[in-house]
């Protein structure tokens, strides 16, 4: 193998390793695609989620303010519902759940969405159980729990392409290393990588575009609480 071809193969190995590292980091990081704003907007109207009938605010014997029941204004922003450091990555969210997963409500079927809970229990009981839902991380992954089907499908498409990119780039590292070792015929070492790199580059750009779309687009969720 001439020195020019060897340099090209070394460069391709380097690029493939960088792409593997980038995609693995994006897949492993639970906050690589979506993070909450510093001042997240109100997403739940108190008209939809009012104070529960048993809500009472009072001072105890020590003069400390105590409450019973649920106050709607305490659960209006995503930071209040999910936590200020919550985020969503390419493969999973910061709680470790994938795009298709959600928490389990004790005593009910596993993985129920908010709409299914409302149909099963009614808005009142669901609102009353909100503190328990938030504390038990049942809201996470919110994309599945809130029935944001279009966003979920887009996220899963980006996740699938990211996984494919990791596998393809890893195979290219092996292929170019084999070519440097003289285990691949020169003609094959030129044609096959060219085709794979074109497909891989297009797939990588699609993942980046999908991640940007997920972050910037306004999505609709199919439920009456956070539409």
């Amino acid at each position: 193998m001439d020195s020019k071809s060897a340099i090209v193969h070394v460069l391709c190995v380097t690029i493939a390793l960088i792409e593997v590292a980038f995609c693995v980091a994006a897949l492993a990081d639970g906050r690589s695609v979506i993070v909450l704003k510093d001042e997240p907007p109100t997403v739940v109207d108190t008209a939809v989620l009012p104070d529960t009938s048993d809500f009472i605010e009072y001072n105890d014997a020590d003069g400390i303010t105590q409450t019973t029941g649920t106050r709607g204004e305490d659960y209006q922003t995503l930071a209040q519902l999910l936590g200020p450091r919550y985020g969503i990555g390419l493969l999973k969210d910061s709680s470790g759940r994938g795009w298709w997963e959600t928490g389990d409500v004790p005593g009910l079927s596993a993985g129920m969405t908010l709409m299914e809970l409302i149909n099963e229990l009614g808005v009142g009981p669901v609102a009353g159980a909100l503190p328990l839902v938030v504390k038990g991380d049942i809201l996470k992954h919110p994309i599945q729990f809130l029935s944001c089907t279009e966003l979920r499908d887009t996220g899963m498409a980006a996740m699938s392409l990211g996984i494919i990119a990791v596998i393809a780039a890893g195979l290219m590292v092996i292929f170019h290393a084999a070519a440097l070792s003289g285990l691949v015929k020169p003609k094959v070492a030129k044609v096959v990588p060219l085709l794979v790199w074109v497909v891989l580059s297009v797939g990588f750009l699609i993942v980046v575009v999908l991640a940007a779309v997920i972050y910037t687009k306004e999505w609709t969720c199919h439920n009456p609480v956070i539409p």
Side-chain angles (χ1 to χ4, degrees):
M1 179 182 295
D2 59 74
S3 59
K4 184 178 179 180
S5 297
I7 292 173
V8 171
H9 284 299
V10 170
L11 180 61
C12 288
V13 168
T14 303
I15 294 173
L17 287 173
I18 292 173
E19 187 161 344
V20 168
F22 179 86
C23 290
V24 168
L27 288 166
D29 184 4
R31 304 178 76 243
S32 60
V33 177
I34 299 174
V35 294
L36 298 182
K37 296 179 179 179
D38 293 334
E39 296 182 4
T42 297
V43 294
V44 181
D45 195 328
T46 52
V48 176
L49 189 66
D51 299 347
T52 57
S53 58
D54 60 342
F55 173 73
I56 300 175
E57 188 174 41
Y58 63 95
N59 292 328
D60 61 15
D62 298 323
I64 300 174
T65 301
Q66 304 286 350
T67 61
T68 62
T70 302
R71 179 168 52 189
E73 66 183 42
D74 291 338
Y75 301 93
Q76 289 186 292
T77 70
L78 288 177
Q80 291 172 320
L81 295 170
L82 301 170
R85 291 288 299 164
Y86 180 77
I88 296 174
L90 198 56
L91 178 64
K92 59 185 180 180
D93 68 357
S94 54
S95 72
R97 294 196 179 111
W99 293 89
W100 59 94
E101 295 178 308
T102 188
D104 297 335
V105 179
L108 296 173
S109 301
M112 293 184 71
T113 65
L114 177 59
M115 199 65 238
E116 290 170 339
L117 287 173
I118 291 175
N119 291 336
E120 182 85 14
L121 304 173
V123 175
V126 171
L130 192 55
L132 178 62
V133 169
V134 172
K135 186 176 180 181
D137 277 350
I138 296 170
L139 279 171
K140 304 168 185 176
H141 198 297
I143 305 304
Q144 174 67 12
F145 185 75
L146 299 175
S147 301
C148 310
T149 52
E150 293 85 1
L151 175 55
R152 181 197 62 203
D153 293 344
T154 304
M156 290 181 67
M159 176 195 71
S160 300
L161 289 171
I163 294 173
I164 292 172
V166 170
I167 296 172
L171 291 175
M172 291 308 295
V173 170
I174 297 173
F175 182 88
H176 287 294
L180 283 170
S181 302
L183 301 176
V184 181
K185 293 181 180 180
K187 186 175 181 179
V188 176
K190 291 180 180 179
V191 176
V192 173
L194 180 61
L195 294 175
V196 175
W197 274 112
V198 169
V199 175
L200 190 59
S201 299
V202 172
F204 181 77
L205 288 175
I206 292 174
V207 171
V208 174
V209 170
L210 284 175
V213 169
I214 289 171
Y215 187 78
T216 58
K217 184 179 176 180
E218 183 174 329
W219 300 90
T220 299
C221 299
H222 303 288
N223 69 83
V225 180
I226 306 179

